[in-house]
């Protein structure tokens, strides 16, 4: 947990950021890392997602002032295209651009988002470090779920889920009343064991 966010906030952010990120070929891990950086900088949940999506949109299609600022830095529009260079590569190309030029390119409303990202590209809690941590964590959620269900309550939860599926299937097949009688008889038998 290297980011100041939780599952709900991350889900809310990705609701806005994931579609464009995916369309640009930016990995889920890198997009999540960017949201983590924004969260660490106080831009959370939907604000982080909308901000990241806006920045991505402006990177692939900068306004005239942004294109002019890039040209003045000796950069081209393609130098900051995340579809060509990934998110980190595109943001790295903006390093050295003045805050005033960044504001022209991204607008005042997105300046905090782009500055937070540019200023946190490397290091353990930067875009590179968080992306690597996300990539290394693949499979850990499954391991954790397996550990949590590898006990009697977990086994009972699996049985309940399987039973619910069976009931739905039997009901759809039209033999629900017969099955209901069998379940009631079984329940009475279990109660007598007490």
């Amino acid at each position: 947990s290297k980011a100041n966010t939780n599952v709900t906030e991350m889900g809310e952010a990705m609701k806005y950021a994931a579609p464009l990120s995916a369309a640009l070929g930016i990995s889920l891990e890198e997009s999540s890392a960017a949201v983590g950086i924004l969260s660490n900088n106080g831009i959370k949940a939907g604000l982080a997602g909308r901000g990241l999506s806006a920045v991505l949109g402006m990177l692939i299609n900068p306004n005239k002032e942004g294109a002019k600022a890039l040209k003045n830095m000796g950069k081209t529009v393609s130098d900051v295209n995340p579809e060509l260079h990934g998110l980190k590569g595109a943001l790295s190309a903006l390093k050295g651009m003045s805050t005033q030029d960044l504001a022209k390119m991204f607008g005042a409303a997105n300046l905090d988002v782009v500055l937070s990202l540019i200023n946190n590209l490397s290091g353990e809690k930067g875009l590179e470090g968080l992306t690597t941590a996300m990539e290394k964590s693949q499979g850990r959620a499954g391991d954790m779920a397996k550990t949590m269900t590898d006990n009697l309550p977990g086994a009972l939860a699996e049985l309940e889920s399987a039973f619910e599926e069976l009931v739905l299937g039997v009901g759809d097949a039209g033999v629900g009343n017969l099955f209901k009688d069998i379940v009631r008889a079984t329940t009475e038998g279990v109660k007598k064991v007490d």
Side-chain angles (χ1 to χ4, degrees):
S1 175
K2 297 179 183 191
N4 182 22
T5 190
N6 61 41
V7 173
T8 302
E9 292 171 343
M10 181 64 78
E12 182 67 17
M14 294 309 283
K15 176 170 72 173
Y16 298 103
L20 184 53
S21 294
L24 296 175
I26 298 169
S27 71
L28 177 62
E29 293 82 5
E30 191 173 31
S31 298
S32 298
V35 169
I37 288 167
L38 296 175
S39 297
N40 289 345
N41 285 275
I43 307 165
K44 294 183 163 199
L47 290 175
R50 286 188 292 272
L52 178 58
S53 183
V55 165
L56 290 172
M58 292 171 197
L59 285 169
I60 59 173
N61 188 22
N63 59 26
K64 288 180 185 178
E65 290 178 324
K68 183 179 177 184
L70 288 169
K71 186 176 180 182
N72 290 341
M73 285 180 53
K75 307 275 183 184
T76 66
V77 171
S78 66
D79 290 334
V80 298
N81 187 330
E83 192 169 22
L84 301 175
H85 305 287
L87 182 58
K88 184 178 183 239
L91 293 169
S92 295
L94 296 174
K95 278 200 165 281
M97 184 181 273
S98 73
T99 303
Q100 184 178 9
D101 284 341
L102 287 168
K104 288 177 186 175
M105 184 168 177
F106 295 96
N110 297 305
L111 187 58
D112 57 344
V113 173
V114 74
L115 284 171
S116 294
L117 293 170
I118 291 171
N119 293 330
N120 292 284
L121 291 175
S122 57
E124 185 179 328
K125 290 192 176 185
L127 186 62
E128 188 175 343
L130 288 177
T131 301
T132 299
M134 297 272 188
E135 291 167 346
K136 287 182 178 179
S137 72
Q138 286 186 351
R140 293 219 177 115
D143 292 345
M144 189 182 302
K146 184 178 177 186
T147 299
M148 291 173 65
T149 59
D150 192 19
N151 54 34
L152 181 58
L156 289 172
E158 287 180 35
L159 175 63
E160 181 181 6
S161 176
F163 190 72
E164 287 173 359
E165 285 183 40
L166 177 65
V167 168
L168 291 173
V170 167
D172 289 343
V175 290
N177 286 334
L178 172 65
F179 194 68
K180 178 179 66 173
D181 293 339
I182 293 170
V183 169
R184 283 190 177 151
T186 304
T187 302
E188 289 302 316
V190 170
K191 284 181 180 179
K192 289 178 183 175
V193 172
D194 260 349

